Amino acid sequence: MHNHNHHNDALYKDIAARLMAAGQRFTTNRRTIVDALCGGDRPLSIPEILKATSLAQSSLYRNLTVLEAAGVVTRVITTDEWGRFELSEELTGHHHHLVCSQCGAVTDVTIPDDVETDLDVALAKLATRAGFELSHHRLDLVGLCSSCQ
Amino acid sequence: MHNHNHHNDALYKDIAARLMAAGQRFTTNRRTIVDALCGGDRPLSIPEILKATSLAQSSLYRNLTVLEAAGVVTRVITTDEWGRFELSEELTGHHHHLVCSQCGAVTDVTIPDDVETDLDVALAKLATRAGFELSHHRLDLVGLCSSCQ
DNA sequence: ATGAGTGCAAAGGCTTTGCATTAGG
DNA sequence: CCTAATGCAAAGCCTTTGCACTCAT
């Protein structure tokens, strides 16, 4: 899904632009976080990012807040109590998650375009009827991952 | 969605059965929590439940854990940091949520049966292909509620 | 009587904040 | 130079736990 190599200039430019638009710099630490999130095909928890990067806790928290506000990073919901983070869908493309209800592991997946389209149409109608200004949807598959079955 | 009156015997019986199956009693406090969650058509946060019930914090937390384990209550994820709780879908029926990305408010909605069915079929295929044992799905509409637009 | 449930207060753990220092423009 | 960013440590806040008491069986 978002398996870029570590010198993806297009991605970096996009991120830098988003940060600048938010009045923020693309600092070394922020680049480090982005690289860590690019590394796998799944969202990472804060302990995982800390282990992978050796950033100061406070810097990680502060930068995740900035990156989230700038639309670079998204917080992912699981079944356990751990917040997990991934690059925003605007950078990596729309996708969904397989969430293991036992171990909390999360994996990225995409669903067929036609289903996605039908869903979008239905949700748009629904939102309009409810007086809700729809921005996007979240669709997660909850169950047991192969290791937990 | 789950706007039962406060003496819905069928619901109480169902809940009592689920609790008994989990080796738990249907105590006064648990009934109080269930009543609070029945009250509205939206999930409630812990502060909201506390305000509505005047339970001891520790009792609320402990009982929510029990009720969740017994399949009576479900934890709902929003965009803000607040955990919210509602009666389980097995009691109230399958539904989805309108989540306001600004104020965090959550409202229940249902989508048309045919869309839901198509979605189920697609997700089942997807899960199988990924070696994932699908239990259920979560679909949330994220955007701005009428008050925040 | 006996184990579950309750409430208060203390402990725990993740997250945020204060402040002095460092780095980037 | 000057402001944003960083790192360490302290403070905060939600959640969990310990313990004695109460309730229901």
Side-chain angles (χ1 to χ4, degrees), chain A residues 25 28 46 57-58 61-62 65 82-83:
Chain A
R25 301 177 192 162
T28 309
I46 282 171
Q57 262 198 352
S58 55
Y61 279 103
R62 277 194 273 239
T65 303
W82 296 89

Side-chain angles (χ1 to χ4, degrees), chain A residues 94-105:
Chain A
H94 180 55
H95 62 273
H96 302 283
H97 296 119
L98 298 172
V99 179
C100 181
S101 52
Q102 187 154 315
C103 71

Side-chain angles (χ1 to χ4, degrees), chain A residues 62-136:
Chain A
R62 277 194 273 239
N63 282 318
L64 282 176
T65 303
V66 169
L67 291 169
E68 197 176 4
V72 174
V73 157
T74 306
R75 182 185 303 259
V76 174
I77 275 70
T78 66
T79 55
D80 59 16
E81 287 308 279
W82 296 89
R84 283 158 211 259
F85 297 83
E86 66 181 3
L87 291 189
S88 123
E89 292 199 328
E90 294 165 42
L91 296 169
T92 60
H94 180 55
H95 62 273
H96 302 283
H97 296 119
L98 298 172
V99 179
C100 181
S101 52
Q102 187 154 315
C103 71
V106 182
T107 316
D108 295 350
V109 285
T110 51
I111 67 176
D113 280 347
D114 57 321
V115 180
E116 191 80 54
T117 304
D118 291 350
L119 187 59
D120 280 336
V121 171
L123 297 186
K125 271 187 203 156
L126 190 58
T128 303
R129 212 160 32 206
F132 190 82
E133 188 180 316
L134 184 59
S135 153
H136 61 277

